[in-house]
């Protein structure tokens, strides 16, 4: 029993030691395990996790990975304890703990963790075992308050907690980097002012530019890649006349552009919040690609997290390689240092942490398409309905955002009586190819409790589809309908 607990503490210490070295990066021993779990999960489970569990699903995955990592290191420590005691050598026990912990950590995935990261894990486990074994063996006297086994357990627990605290402090330091300020160019300044001037003031919904901190995040790993700017490169490969490789400074020394561009995930629920807008800074993707003279019809964008999406080459037109977001460098969670942005497409092909643009003569099946999704094409038209406010004069204000990709939003209509439609007020369109608009409608409530339905029409004159569909596999559709209850404290 004592041995089991000592091994468990060693497992906890090992994971904490790994965190101390790597922080919240892919070199953390939990990261490859969480990634493995996410990829090994059958497609329907993944879809359920995304659309129903949301971030809880991610936490569940991360929690499971932590437990598995602790179990792995507890297992190797247990072996070391058994062998070391058999040969009656504390040195062997401790050394073997470090060695096995190191080997196990280094081999948890097909992509091995960096040697130093794995070593920090093994050493941390060995420290816990060393403290425990030392306390067990140095106790001899019968009249001691704590006998050897108690001392062993308390020592193991204390050292695991100590390493945990150390790991927390150092590991967090590893990962908190705030992106540099890109400085205010006149063009960027104009875009910020434009968004402020055009934003409608509707309590309960985002302004026209989302805060970077609340901008939705979707990706395949719990722990995002941490790509160093000076180590980053982008290769243009495959069916091209000349392969090319760009560094970060190659890219940033090209003529920069700033654009509004709205992103929406195909796995967003109909009235969900996986839709946001930002000002992005970068270079037109075609400026980079033209130099390589591609001749395939298809393109694959690959990333540092092994994510890849593939689609016909036309989708790249109007696209950008972005390294800035709302006036700062791209935050890590949104793809630092560089991501792709393809106006009007679902989020999927907007590949973050991009490392390679590969051209191909044949169609390739992307990461999500292998799992049954169809999320590389243009977005569906949607009017989201997020705000219900009671005005002091007794009227009701309802509002939200509407988005139709590059087709643009022409109008938004509201019905409060289950039949007749009134035009909502729209925010002035922002400059740009694929940008959302806000809508707002004020009315006298027809009853205590009533149903409000909203629908958008795009600039081609096409009405948002009424027929309901789940997000999987093509993105949600239908008209958003909400019950407004005057007696409840609605918002
Ligand atoms: N490298 C990489 N890029 C990625 C993803 C990913 O998992 N890995 N997810 C995609 C999906 S499904 C969406 S919706 C958008 C989300 O971008 P955001 O997290 O910046 O909002 O990124 C896309 N780009
Ligand atoms: Mo997505």
């Amino acid at each position: 029993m004592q041995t089991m607990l000592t091994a468990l503490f060693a497992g906890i210490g090992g994971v904490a030691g790994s965190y101390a070295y790597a922080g919240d990066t892919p070199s953390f021993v939990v990261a490859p395990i969480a990634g493995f779990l996410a990829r090994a999960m059958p497609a329907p489970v993944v879809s359920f996790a995304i659309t129903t569990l949301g971030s809880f699903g991610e936490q569940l995955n991360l929690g499971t990975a932590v437990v598995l990592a602790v179990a792995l290191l507890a297992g190797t420590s247990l072996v070391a304890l058994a062998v070391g005691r058999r040969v009656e050598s504390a040195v062997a026990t401790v050394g073997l703990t470090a060695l096995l912990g190191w080997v196990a950590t280094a081999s948890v995935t097909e992509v091995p963790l960096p040697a130093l990261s794995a070593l920090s894990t093994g050493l941390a486990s060995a420290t816990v075992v060393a403290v425990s074994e030392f306390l067990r063996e140095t106790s001899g006297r019968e009249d001691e308050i704590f006998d050897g086994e108690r001392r062993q357990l308390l020592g193991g627990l204390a050292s695991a907690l100590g390493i945990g605290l150390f790991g927390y402090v150092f590991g967090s330091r590893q990962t908190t980097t705030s992106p540099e300020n890109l400085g205010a160019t006149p063009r960027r300044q104009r875009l910020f002012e434009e968004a402020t001037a055009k934003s409608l003031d509707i309590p309960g919904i985002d302004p026209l530019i989302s805060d970077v901190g609340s901008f939705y995040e979707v990706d395949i790993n719990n722990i995002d890649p941490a790509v160093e700017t000076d180590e980053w490169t982008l290769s243009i490969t495959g069916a091209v006349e000349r392969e090319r490789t760009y560094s970060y400074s190659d890219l940033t020394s090209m003529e920069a552009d700033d654009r509004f561009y709205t992103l929406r995930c195909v796995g967003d629920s109909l009235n969900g919040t996986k839709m946001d807008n930002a000002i992005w800074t970068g270079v037109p993707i075609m400026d980079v690609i033209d130099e390589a003279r591609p001749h395939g019809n298809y393109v694959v964008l690959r990333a540092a997290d092994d994510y890849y999406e593939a689609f016909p080459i036309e989708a790249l037109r109007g696209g950008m390689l972005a390294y800035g977001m709302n006036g700062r460098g791209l935050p890590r969670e949104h793809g630092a240092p560089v991501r792709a942005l393809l106006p009007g497409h679902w989020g999927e092909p907007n590949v973050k942490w991009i490392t390679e643009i590969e051209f191909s003569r044949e169609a390739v099946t992307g990461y999500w398409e292998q799992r049954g999704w169809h999320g590389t094409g243009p977005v569906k038209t949607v009017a989201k309905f997020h705000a219900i406010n009671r005005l002091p004069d007794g009227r009701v204000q309802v509002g939200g955002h509407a988005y139709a990709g590059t087709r643009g939003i022409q109008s938004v209509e509201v019905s409060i009586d289950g039949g007749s439609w009134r035009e909502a007020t729209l925010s002035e369109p922002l400059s740009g190819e694929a940008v959302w608009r806000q809508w707002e409608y004020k009315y006298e409530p027809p009853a205590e409790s009533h149903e409000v339905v909203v629908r958008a029409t795009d600039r081609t004159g096409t009405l948002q589809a009424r027929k309901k569909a789940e997000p999987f596999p093509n993105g949600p559709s239908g008209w958003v309908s909400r019950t407004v209850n005057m007696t409840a404290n609605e918002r």
Side-chain angles (χ1 to χ4, degrees):
M1 185 63 194
Q2 277 74 19
T3 311
M4 299 278 267
L5 281 172
T6 302
L8 176 66
F9 296 146
I12 294 170
V15 171
S18 172
Y19 190 80
Y21 174 82
D24 192 13
T25 69
S27 310
F28 178 33
V29 59
V30 167
I33 299 177
F36 171 79
L37 288 177
R39 291 191 207 5
M41 219 72 89
V45 179
V46 177
S47 299
F48 173 76
I50 293 172
T51 56
T52 313
L53 297 181
S55 64
F56 175 69
E58 284 182 24
Q59 259 130 39
L60 202 64
N61 176 277
L62 195 61
T64 311
V66 170
V67 170
L68 287 177
V70 169
L72 174 74
L73 293 164
T76 55
S77 304
L78 200 58
V79 171
L81 281 161
V83 173
R85 284 181 188 166
R86 170 140 320 166
V87 300
E88 287 178 12
S89 158
V91 175
T93 311
V94 174
L96 210 52
T97 309
L99 183 70
L100 294 180
W102 178 24
V103 171
T105 312
S107 57
V108 278
T109 38
E110 64 277 22
V111 193
L113 289 180
L116 276 181
S117 169
L119 190 63
S120 71
T121 317
L123 287 180
S125 286
T127 305
V128 175
V129 167
V131 171
S132 306
E133 291 294 278
F134 176 77
L135 289 175
R136 193 174 75 120
E137 294 193 359
T138 54
S139 97
R141 301 211 322 272
E142 286 293 319
D143 59 337
E144 274 175 343
I145 307 172
F146 295 121
D147 61 15
E149 286 173 344
R150 284 244 185 94
R151 285 166 51 127
Q152 172 194 1
L153 285 188
L154 286 174
L157 181 63
S159 51
L161 289 179
I163 296 173
L165 187 67
F166 176 82
Y168 178 76
V169 171
F170 272 79
S172 317
R173 267 210 227 148
Q174 291 282 356
T175 36
T176 44
T177 48
S178 80
E180 47 153 355
N181 195 325
L182 295 178
T185 63
R187 183 179 156 76
R188 202 144 55 226
Q189 203 51 37
R190 260 204 317 281
L191 293 185
F192 275 115
E193 282 160 14
E194 181 186 344
T196 310
K198 290 177 175 174
S199 282
L200 302 177
D201 179 24
I202 308 168
I205 67 169
D206 275 355
L208 285 173
I209 300 179
S210 313
D211 273 347
V212 169
S214 63
F215 199 104
Y216 86 87
E217 183 192 342
V218 172
D219 38 60
I220 57 173
N221 287 307
N222 292 97
I223 296 176
D224 295 333
V227 185
E228 296 291 338
T229 301
D230 19 325
E231 277 159 29
W232 177 84
T233 56
L234 172 68
S235 317
I236 319 286
T237 62
V240 292
E241 249 165 67
R242 291 195 300 156
E243 300 215 332
R244 296 280 321 239
T245 299
Y246 292 82
S247 69
Y248 186 73
S249 55
D250 289 340
L251 215 66
T252 49
S253 57
M254 294 169 68
E255 198 184 333
D257 195 9
D258 301 276
R259 298 181 199 167
F260 290 116
Y261 170 38
T262 302
L263 263 184
R264 184 185 181 204
C265 183
V266 69
D268 185 23
S269 57
L270 180 61
N271 200 31
T273 53
K274 288 185 183 138
M275 177 168 105
D276 279 296
N277 187 56
I279 299 176
W280 305 89
T281 304
V283 298
I285 208 165
M286 293 319 280
D287 288 2
V288 170
I289 285 162
D290 282 345
E291 292 187 45
R293 274 173 301 210
H295 31 61
N297 289 323
Y298 297 93
V299 62
V300 191
L301 306 188
R302 299 186 188 278
D305 57 349
D306 287 339
Y307 178 81
Y308 63 101
E309 274 304 341
F311 40 87
I313 184 166
E314 291 78 51
L316 293 178
R317 306 227 165 267
M320 126 189 262
L321 289 169
Y323 51 81
M325 184 179 186
N326 291 354
R328 295 188 156 266
L330 210 57
R332 180 168 158 222
E333 64 272 25
H334 295 296
V338 179
R339 78 177 301 169
L341 289 174
L342 308 182
H345 291 74
W346 293 113
E348 273 185 24
N350 296 264
V351 172
K352 307 192 272 189
W353 312 288
I354 190 169
T355 54
E356 185 181 350
I357 302 178
E358 181 193 336
F359 289 90
S360 158
R361 288 173 212 280
E362 275 131 58
V364 174
T365 311
Y367 182 93
W368 286 116
E369 282 47 52
Q370 290 213 330
R371 289 159 178 78
W373 290 84
H374 300 289
T376 59
V379 293
K380 292 180 179 175
T381 299
V382 72
K384 302 261 185 187
F385 179 2
H386 289 158
I388 301 174
N389 301 314
R390 264 194 277 178
L391 300 175
D393 63 7
R395 289 186 302 162
V396 176
Q397 176 195 46
V398 288
H401 291 87
Y403 181 52
T406 52
R407 299 181 300 280
I409 289 290
Q410 183 171 75
S411 64
V412 169
E413 296 166 293
V414 178
S415 174
I416 58 168
D417 60 5
S420 64
W421 295 91
R422 300 282 163 73
E423 286 230 0
T425 306
L426 290 177
S427 58
E428 289 294 311
L430 291 175
S431 54
E433 256 192 293
V435 201
W436 66 8
R437 295 175 80 170
Q438 293 166 314
W439 65 269
E440 180 206 29
Y441 184 67
K442 293 179 184 144
Y443 63 93
E444 299 282 349
E448 282 277 289
S449 175
H450 55 282
E451 202 64 19
V452 178
V453 187
V454 53
R455 64 184 195 185
T457 300
D458 71 22
R459 284 227 163 103
T460 72
T462 308
L463 183 63
Q464 177 179 340
R466 180 178 194 172
K467 194 165 182 291
K468 284 239 183 292
E470 291 301 313
F472 185 82
N474 299 306
S477 72
W479 296 343
V480 177
S481 164
R482 287 182 66 181
T483 306
V484 176
N485 208 323
M486 300 303 296
T487 44
N489 232 344
E490 274 282 7
R491 217 223 129 116

